[in-house]
Amino acid sequence: MSSPGDSALDEGEPVEHVFAVLRERLYGAISCLATLAVLARYTTETTSAWARLLDVAVATGGLWAASLFADFVAHLGVYGSRPHRREVAAMLQASGQILQAAVIPAGVLTAAALGLLKTYTAMWIAMWALVGELALIALLAVRETQLRWWQKLLTVLVLASFGSVVLVIKMLAH
């Protein structure tokens, strides 16, 4: 998937698959944002960026594995058989969006680990990059809708602010 809102429907992708890919990308971005928000609360000047990178990798990898597991079990329950190759490929593509959502945060944390940024600064850059990603996904999702321009703008702003709300709630809760 080149970008979360590209119209894969024009390329013959089943609606259910495009829906699953977009859902997993959003879920991955929100979950990574929530993970970073919690970790930022416990990040000090002495916190290793490598440790934070490992934390994000483990959290993201666990969510990815859980997504694949859920798809597999749901497939067994609905169809009464294991998924075939094409279905496994579709599951991997959709769940892979969770991993892709963590690429920018991982890159920023790697830059911190290499000494280019302070870890705490990298955490905040990564979090705001994910808020920006949520805004971009929202923009791509509403661009082809029948909404008026101001309704599209309002929708993007509301959906992007959701990322900010996640940050605030997580920071207050932990």
Side-chain angles (χ1 to χ4, degrees):
M1 182 173 144
S2 56
S3 70
D6 283 352
S7 182
L9 296 175
D10 296 338
E11 300 166 15
E13 290 283 346
V15 172
E16 299 82 15
H17 181 65
V18 175
F19 182 87
V21 167
L22 182 57
R23 181 192 64 234
E24 295 300 307
R25 184 56 169 255
L26 283 165
Y27 189 54
I30 291 166
S31 296
C32 189
L33 179 59
T35 298
L36 287 167
V38 170
L39 292 173
R41 186 82 188 247
Y42 301 102
T43 299
T44 65
E45 288 184 26
T46 61
T47 304
S48 164
W50 291 117
R52 287 298 177 246
L53 183 60
L54 180 61
D55 291 333
V56 169
V58 168
T60 302
L63 184 60
W64 173 73
S67 175
L68 278 177
F69 177 73
D71 272 353
F72 184 80
V73 171
H75 191 281
L76 285 175
V78 170
Y79 299 107
S81 65
R82 66 172 181 74
H84 298 296
R85 252 187 218 150
R86 182 173 254 180
E87 295 161 327
V88 169
M91 288 177 187
L92 287 169
Q93 183 185 23
S95 66
Q97 296 302 307
I98 294 169
L99 300 174
Q100 288 183 19
V103 167
I104 291 174
V108 173
L109 288 168
T110 299
L114 297 173
L116 302 174
L117 297 165
K118 293 185 183 278
T119 302
Y120 189 76
T121 302
M123 296 290 288
W124 280 97
I125 291 171
M127 286 187 285
W128 285 111
L130 286 170
V131 171
E133 181 178 331
L134 290 172
L136 178 62
I137 292 169
L139 178 65
L140 294 172
V142 302
R143 71 178 178 186
E144 300 292 327
T145 65
Q146 300 301 316
L147 298 173
R148 291 192 161 100
W149 72 267
W150 63 269
Q151 291 171 318
K152 289 179 183 183
L153 178 63
L154 183 61
T155 301
V156 169
L157 291 174
V158 167
L159 293 175
S161 68
F162 179 74
S164 299
V165 171
V166 167
L167 275 177
V168 170
I169 290 172
K170 283 295 192 172
M171 295 300 280
L172 292 174
H174 293 90

